[in-house]
Amino acid sequence: ADDALVTTATELEKSNRYYLAVPYSERNDAKQLGAEWDKNAKSWFVNASEKDKFKRWHPDAAMRQHINLDPHEEFKKELQKVGFIIDGLPKMDGRLHRTKVEGDKGAEKSGAYKGFLDGIPAGFYENHRTTARSNWKSSGTSLSDNDRKEMIADAENKRIEREMNAAKQHAHSARRCAQAWELMKPIKENGYLKHKGVGVFGVKQDNKGRAVIALRNEDDQITSLQRIGENGFKSLKKNAKKSGSFHKLNPSEFKDGDPIAIGEGYATVASVVEATNIAAVMGVDSGNLLSVAQTIHRQYPNSPIIILGDDDVYSKTNKGRLKAIEAAKSVGGQVVFPVFREPAKGKTDFNDLLKFDGAYALKMQIGAVVSKAIASTHELQKKRVQENALDVLDQTKFQANAMTR
């Protein structure tokens, strides 16, 4: 597993690209020398080891000095006004980026933005914590085609460098996590699990008595470890990859075609497993549900996906509900939220439902959604069979007509 993660970082380094600022009129010259076009970045690039042959097209910050305001700096100031915490400069590459905002804790990233350098630089941002959202347009001078190409090339080179560094850090942290996991002992008594009223599903403990959960990617490689103290404090391995990482509580129950439940925290998902024995996945937090749901859907394309949403109706944004709905929609799945006999602040997830309303209430609520998900999947599969049969019939008619001509 470790070798595979190291290989990922090595392959990224081997494919390292250096982006060029090539004017449209000189594109053929660059192409003849070996430059290639990246249609997503809208920029020419070469292998970094060959960049010296293309010095005439190296990004040069001096070429941009005549612009009244650097759009990166201007956009950053706008984002900071609405509470964004930006490390360095915002990425203006036309992609959606998530970042921390004031009030975020731990790994939370409640800010989203997208920036463009085409023509007059512009962008969009949304602070999900305060609900502030707006379009933005630079007040500075329009970028010439050459200036725009220059900035795109410079931004892409920096992005590649960041990705290389992140991949190396992820590979190193994954190795350390796998080594630590092997040395840990099976969990015995744990205050956190006892307090939550749930059992052990693939959990170990460290020498401080904390519950430890191994997070893995879709290739079953350990990517990170989550530690949970007796007081409920959770921490992830520093510099390890969280995005798309998850923990299968009962791996033997996973079969393509059978329902799969995905939730945020361990206690929430463990509560559902004990009540229903459904195949279930812990996705760490609400921000990770989307990528985990998509990964599990790729692994088990015929399985109905059920998202176990946290529902903090007393919070301002109710991020758990929003992210759960988003994840379910992305895979054509179902989403379910706990319904309490006596709603109150602090009652938000299915572990709370287990503690306050009992296992029967939990089983009935999950069971109803599972039945709905299975029926919906069967209907979709039936429709696909009918469509395939019609395709075969049409093809047969086409071949018959062709033979009579």
Side-chain angles (χ1 to χ4, degrees):
D2 299 336
D3 291 340
L5 285 162
V6 174
T7 300
T8 300
T10 304
E11 288 175 349
L12 181 60
E13 188 165 6
K14 286 181 179 177
S15 63
N16 184 22
R17 296 177 175 183
Y18 184 82
Y19 285 82
L20 307 170
V22 180
Y24 183 77
S25 60
E26 299 176 24
R27 68 191 187 284
N28 289 330
D29 294 340
K31 186 176 182 180
Q32 287 178 358
L33 286 174
E36 297 181 62
W37 178 253
D38 185 333
K39 64 180 181 180
N40 293 320
K42 297 180 180 179
S43 181
W44 292 91
F45 71 91
V46 294
N47 190 285
S49 63
E50 300 178 343
K51 67 179 183 179
D52 287 347
K53 295 194 305 185
F54 299 82
K55 284 185 177 180
R56 61 188 281 198
W57 297 304
H58 282 194
D60 181 6
M63 289 177 60
R64 301 197 294 270
Q65 288 183 354
H66 68 277
I67 302 174
N68 292 345
L69 274 175
D70 183 336
H72 295 88
E73 290 284 0
E74 189 179 5
F75 193 28
K76 178 178 181 178
K77 290 179 180 179
E78 178 70 17
L79 294 173
Q80 289 175 328
K81 287 180 183 177
V82 292
F84 279 64
I85 300 172
I86 304 294
D87 183 16
L89 295 174
K91 305 177 186 72
M92 301 186 68
D93 52 10
R95 300 184 180 94
L96 186 67
H97 296 283
R98 303 300 301 266
T99 188
K100 284 183 174 294
V101 299
E102 294 171 3
D104 277 348
K105 297 178 181 178
E108 289 182 325
K109 292 184 178 181
S110 303
Y113 72 87
K114 187 183 290 187
F116 303 87
L117 292 173
D118 299 328
I120 297 177
F124 166 84
Y125 59 82
E126 181 171 8
N127 184 330
H128 292 284
R129 185 168 289 279
T130 65
T131 69
R133 57 181 294 171
S134 178
N135 293 319
W136 168 83
K137 185 169 69 174
S138 173
S139 60
T141 304
S142 303
L143 294 179
S144 69
D145 184 60
N146 284 354
D147 289 329
R148 184 177 62 81
K149 290 180 185 297
E150 179 95 5
M151 283 193 170
I152 289 175
D154 190 45
E156 284 299 310
N157 290 330
K158 289 177 180 176
R159 180 183 65 80
I160 291 292
E161 184 179 0
R162 284 194 302 271
E163 288 181 355
M164 284 175 56
N165 291 335
K168 290 176 181 177
Q169 289 179 339
H170 290 163
H172 176 72
S173 295
R175 285 196 302 273
R176 296 291 298 273
C177 287
Q179 291 166 356
W181 180 254
E182 288 299 317
L183 296 174
M184 290 179 190
K185 299 177 181 179
I187 204 164
K188 293 180 181 179
E189 292 186 5
N190 180 270
Y192 174 75
L193 298 185
K194 186 176 180 180
H195 172 69
K196 291 292 185 178
V198 294
V200 177
F201 297 94
V203 183
K204 292 185 177 183
Q205 66 182 18
D206 62 13
N207 55 12
K208 295 183 180 179
R210 294 176 295 185
V212 183
I213 301 164
L215 304 179
R216 301 173 185 268
N217 59 21
E218 61 183 306
D219 295 321
D220 204 34
Q221 301 162 341
I222 292 179
T223 57
S224 185
L225 297 177
Q226 183 184 64
R227 288 176 166 84
I228 309 177
E230 189 169 337
N231 62 358
F233 179 78
K234 300 175 182 178
S235 62
L236 291 170
K237 174 69 175 176
K238 186 178 180 180
N239 293 327
K241 185 176 182 180
K242 183 193 77 171
S243 178
S245 300
F246 55 85
H247 169 61
K248 291 180 179 178
L249 275 75
N250 46 356
S252 62
E253 299 296 326
F254 283 73
K255 298 174 185 176
D256 192 24
D258 289 352
I260 298 173
I262 303 173
E264 291 186 35
Y266 177 84
T268 292
V269 183
S271 300
V272 172
V273 169
E274 292 188 332
T276 66
N277 203 36
I278 189 174
V281 176
M282 166 193 147
V284 185
D285 57 33
S286 63
N288 205 34
L289 285 178
L290 177 63
S291 59
V292 170
Q294 293 173 342
T295 297
I296 296 298
H297 183 56
R298 285 196 302 272
Q299 289 186 313
Y300 306 94
N302 297 306
S303 290
I305 302 294
I306 300 162
I307 304 298
L308 310 171
D310 285 13
D311 192 16
D312 189 358
V313 296
Y314 295 94
S315 72
K316 193 171 183 179
T317 58
N318 202 347
K319 184 179 177 182
R321 171 175 278 271
L322 294 174
K323 293 298 181 181
I325 293 172
E326 177 188 39
K329 284 183 177 179
S330 75
V331 295
Q334 305 286 332
V335 62
V336 58
F337 300 99
V339 178
F340 298 93
R341 282 198 294 264
E342 297 180 4
K345 192 171 183 178
K347 296 181 180 180
T348 63
D349 59 39
F350 285 100
N351 181 252
D352 295 326
L353 184 67
L354 174 67
K355 288 192 295 182
F356 289 102
D357 292 356
Y360 181 74
L362 172 58
K363 188 172 184 177
M364 292 300 293
Q365 291 185 29
I366 297 297
V369 178
V370 169
S371 298
K372 182 180 177 182
I374 292 174
S376 177
T377 300
H378 286 170
E379 189 63 31
L380 180 60
Q381 290 173 342
K382 181 180 177 181
K383 184 178 179 181
R384 286 174 180 169
V385 170
Q386 292 172 341
E387 289 175 348
N388 290 337
L390 289 173
D391 288 342
V392 171
L393 181 61
D394 289 342
Q395 184 65 23
T396 303
K397 289 180 178 178
F398 176 81
Q399 292 173 347
N401 291 335
M403 293 176 64
T404 59
R405 290 175 185 170

